[in-house]
């Protein structure tokens, strides 16, 4: 324990909370830069033996979950903020772990200390059930003894940004978080403050399309119906029809860049409308003869998600109107482009 942490714990009214969210590298990183957090430590909780090693835990026989123990100043950050940071950094519906990390040690849980934490954690869990109309796999458990992991696991994302970035991208965790939480998703890649420019620009990759079972688990019912079964969301009752922020729109399934706010316009239709794609190669057109008419359907090239339709009644210079379902999109604001691996599009917004 360093001197700064000792002093903080001595003079600050510190409190402690513990979350199990799959790989503890990822959960520790989620709290590293959160104002009010004094320390975040990777370790283990919930098992049957004392002082387990990492290898004992990953073998799956100790009952421990990979966890992060957060020491924080309640005068600067609330328990509820820490709790929702946890939810927005996990897939609460996955029963066997998180993304590619599967096994009993990767199961998710909010470990609680006392009745107040239990009430808040249980209430937030119920809010997620009510919002998505799905059961939540994440449990609310009584906190027990916490055992720090070996030193090489601590601050892994900061000490090994390239390896962490490769792991995070390869595991597919960000895609799942984005599909579930959209703009609410937690940190989606290596922090821009710790990664080199080369790593930041190289992190974004188009993710392969998941199985139908995974799509049903990670997408909301509306997102699934629109992208997979050519559904149409309600006009004026969707996420982005009146979004005026600067940024880009990517496929909610694969993350492939599709449209930019620089090409967005008010069409009066109640759906997001664009004059052209951001990346023409990521948008495909096909003839749609449903509803007793002929229209031009728009789909994403890699995920084959149904996006909407394109019409020839748009403004200059293209004269086109790409009428797109918000449910097919995830919006990435300008100030998040670099951190999420889309730094190459920053030039669009420099004035």
């Amino acid at each position: 324990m360093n001197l700064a942490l000792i002093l903080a714990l001595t003079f600050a009214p510190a409190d402690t909370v513990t979350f199990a969210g799959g790989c503890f590298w990822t959960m520790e990183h989620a709290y590293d830069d959160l104002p009010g957090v004094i320390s975040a430590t990777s370790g283990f909780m919930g098992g049957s033996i004392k002082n387990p090693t990492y290898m004992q835990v990953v073998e799956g026989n100790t009952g421990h979950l990979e966890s992060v123990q957060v020491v924080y100043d309640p005068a600067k950050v609330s328990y509820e903020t820490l709790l929702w940071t946890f939810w927005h950094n996990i897939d609460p519906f996955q029963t066997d772990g998180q993304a590619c990390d599967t096994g009993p040690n990767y199961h998710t849980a909010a470990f609680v200390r006392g009745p107040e934490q239990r009430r808040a954690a249980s209430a937030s869990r119920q809010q997620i059930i009510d919002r998505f109309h799905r059961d939540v796999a994440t449990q609310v458990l009584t906190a027990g003894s916490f055992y720090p992991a070996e030193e090489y696991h601590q601050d892994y994302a900061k000490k090994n940004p390239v390896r962490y970035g490769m792991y995070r991208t390869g595991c597919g965790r960000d895609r799942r978080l984005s599909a579930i939480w959209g703009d609410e998703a937690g940190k989606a890649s290596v922090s821009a403050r710790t990664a080199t420019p080369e790593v930041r620009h190289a992190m974004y990759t188009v993710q392969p399309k998941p199985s139908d079972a995974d799509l049903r688990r990670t997408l909301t019912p509306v997102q699934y119906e629109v992208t997979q079964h050519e559904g149409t969301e309600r006009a004026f009752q969707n996420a982005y029809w009146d979004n005026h922020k600067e940024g880009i729109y990517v496929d909610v399934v694969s993350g492939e860049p599709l449209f930019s706010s620089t090409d967005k316009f008010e069409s009066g239709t109640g759906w997001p409308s664009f004059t052209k794609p951001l990346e023409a190669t990521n948008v495909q057109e096909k003839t749609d003869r449903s509803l007793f008419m002929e229209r031009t359907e728009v789909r994403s090239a890699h995920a084959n998600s149904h996006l909407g339709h394109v019409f020839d009644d748009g403004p200059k210079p293209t004269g086109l109107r790409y009428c797109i379902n918000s449910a097919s999109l995830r919006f990435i604001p300008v100030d998040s482009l670099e951190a999420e691996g889309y730094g190459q599009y920053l030039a669009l917004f420099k004035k």
Side-chain angles (χ1 to χ4, degrees), residues 238-289:
N238 53 79
Y240 304 129
W241 75 271
D242 61 347
N243 181 31
H244 301 291
K245 297 178 181 178
E246 291 189 325
I248 69 171
Y249 296 80
V250 303
D251 185 282
V252 72
V253 174
S254 65
E256 57 197 286
L258 299 173
F259 299 97
S260 168
S261 64
T262 58
D263 304 308
K264 191 171 185 287
F265 69 98
E266 293 292 340
S267 65
T269 61
W271 290 284
S273 298
F274 306 87
T275 58
K276 65 179 180 180
L278 173 60
E279 295 287 354
T281 56
N282 290 343
V283 176
Q284 295 183 336
E285 299 178 6
K286 61 177 292 187
T287 300
D288 175 10
R289 293 188 174 88

Side-chain angles (χ1 to χ4, degrees), residues 9 13-19 38-39 41 45 68-74 79 82 111-114 117 143-144 146:
L9 293 175
D15 207 343
T16 302
V17 66
T18 308
F19 299 110
I38 298 169
S39 67
T41 304
M45 184 174 279
V68 60
Q69 183 140 294
V70 178
V71 178
Y72 68 100
D73 181 351
Y79 172 67
L82 301 174
F111 289 102
V112 295
R113 294 169 172 81
Q117 284 191 4
F146 176 79

